[in-house]
Amino acid sequence: MHEPLAHLRRRSVLRRLGAAALLLIAAAVRAQVPVAIDKPPDAAAAMKMVYGGNTWRHERAAAFFGGRSPTLRAEIREVFRGRYVESNVDKLMLVYQLTPGPRDQFRCAACVPALGAAVLVADAAGRWKLSAKGLLLMPGAPGAGDEDLQLLQIADERWILRSRRYDIDRGRESRTERLVLERDGEMQLGAELGFDEKPGPLACGATAAPQTSGVSVLSPGRGPRVEIVLRFNEGACNALRAVVQRTRMELRDGRFQLEPDAPEPDDDDAPTPPAKR
């Protein structure tokens, strides 16, 4: 005997609902399986993503190297890469030294390279894509030497690049702390503090205190906060004065800015005096 039509329809609906439930379960299982992230691109492939190759011709590069011919092609060399995670997204920080020709031939005491940086991110399919770049950000190490670079975590979901620059000329030292961050598809210099040509031990002997610079992370707080500490000497060698300069800054609007002073209480917030009886 044939089943009633209504019963057949109910069975069809139940089968469709069961199939839909299985699809939802399968989708949920797939969503829980982590995506395999590709191996980061090698130096040559990453350089092509950022600069288009291992050389870069631009008026900014020509101007940086003393207004040389606009046909100048700066040669590029990767000097740092560091991998990190922000908001569950894998990222890769890349830093480049740019020189007006072969780097090995640009090593005189007065030779200063340029630094550029970029960030690659792994997309939903696990492929690396260019997220932000700053093709020419700041001067590099004197003599095109090794750069002092470090990834710095300033909050649970925020990393920046710290670049420390050091130079010495006849015992007089210069140090600078630079903080580079990613914002709206660009790499930007968010802070730069230092001192120039201060007399160190090589200039004044034992009367001179060591000169240093450092960055400390102060977060959590109102926002990502750091303190830059500079220790340097002032005055002539026979009358040196050691100075310690501490500068606290917080990240606001894409730049590290001086922490505001504690606000004065508003008149409206002042306690109401008791009524006279």
Side-chain angles (χ1 to χ4, degrees):
M1 177 179 279
H2 295 294
E3 294 185 76
L5 183 58
H7 185 64
L8 291 174
R9 286 175 177 170
R10 282 197 300 272
R11 290 182 60 185
S12 177
V13 169
L14 289 173
R15 281 198 298 270
R16 288 198 296 270
L17 289 174
L22 289 174
L23 289 174
L24 289 173
I25 293 171
V29 169
R30 285 196 301 270
Q32 294 175 6
V33 176
V35 174
I37 297 175
D38 291 348
K39 182 181 178 181
D42 62 19
M47 207 176 298
K48 189 170 183 179
M49 295 171 68
V50 179
Y51 287 93
N54 60 1
T55 62
W56 182 53
R57 184 170 67 186
H58 195 277
E59 59 186 11
R60 289 183 60 206
F64 182 90
F65 294 112
R68 303 188 186 198
S69 167
T71 61
L72 176 144
R73 285 185 179 272
E75 293 208 5
I76 304 162
R77 181 175 182 269
E78 183 183 299
V79 293
F80 176 85
R81 65 169 49 199
R83 190 165 170 176
Y84 57 105
V85 177
E86 283 184 345
S87 301
N88 296 320
V89 176
D90 281 71
K91 295 189 174 186
L92 183 68
M93 175 76 72
L94 301 168
V95 185
Y96 299 97
Q97 239 186 35
L98 287 71
T99 56
R103 180 173 181 266
D104 291 341
Q105 299 176 19
F106 193 69
R107 289 187 174 275
C108 66
C111 294
V112 178
L115 285 185
V119 170
L120 306 185
V121 301
D123 64 15
R127 292 185 290 267
W128 291 97
K129 305 291 184 183
L130 180 63
S131 174
K133 62 183 179 180
L135 300 181
L136 198 161
L137 288 170
M138 55 194 176
D146 295 335
E147 300 291 340
D148 188 350
L149 302 164
Q150 174 190 13
L151 275 174
L152 198 62
Q153 186 173 13
I154 59 171
D156 288 344
E157 296 293 341
R158 193 67 191 265
W159 292 74
I160 60 173
L161 175 74
R162 174 198 184 188
S163 166
R164 178 163 50 188
R165 190 173 187 272
Y166 172 66
D167 192 14
I168 184 168
D169 181 17
R170 290 168 293 183
R172 304 186 73 86
E173 301 175 16
S174 300
R175 293 180 181 269
T176 310
E177 295 282 354
R178 291 93 58 95
L179 303 178
V180 177
L181 49 87
E182 175 188 2
R183 186 188 184 201
D184 298 332
E186 294 184 358
M187 301 302 296
Q188 300 181 358
L189 186 60
E192 183 174 20
L193 284 178
F195 55 82
D196 292 321
E197 298 185 348
K198 301 298 184 182
L202 291 179
C204 298
T207 61
Q211 303 185 115
T212 62
S213 66
V215 178
S216 299
V217 177
L218 303 177
S219 305
R222 288 185 297 272
R225 299 183 303 142
V226 299
E227 181 181 64
I228 296 180
V229 181
L230 306 174
R231 300 177 185 271
F232 55 91
N233 302 310
E234 290 280 18
C237 287
N238 59 356
L240 281 180
R241 178 171 60 91
V243 177
V244 179
Q245 179 180 303
R246 299 178 182 273
T247 305
R248 291 192 170 191
M249 296 181 289
E250 64 181 24
L251 185 59
R252 300 196 308 270
D253 302 323
R255 286 189 62 83
F256 283 95
Q257 303 181 39
L258 292 177
E259 279 194 335
D261 295 330
E264 296 291 334
D266 293 333
D267 292 339
D268 294 339
D269 296 333
T272 304
K276 293 183 179 180
R277 295 185 178 178

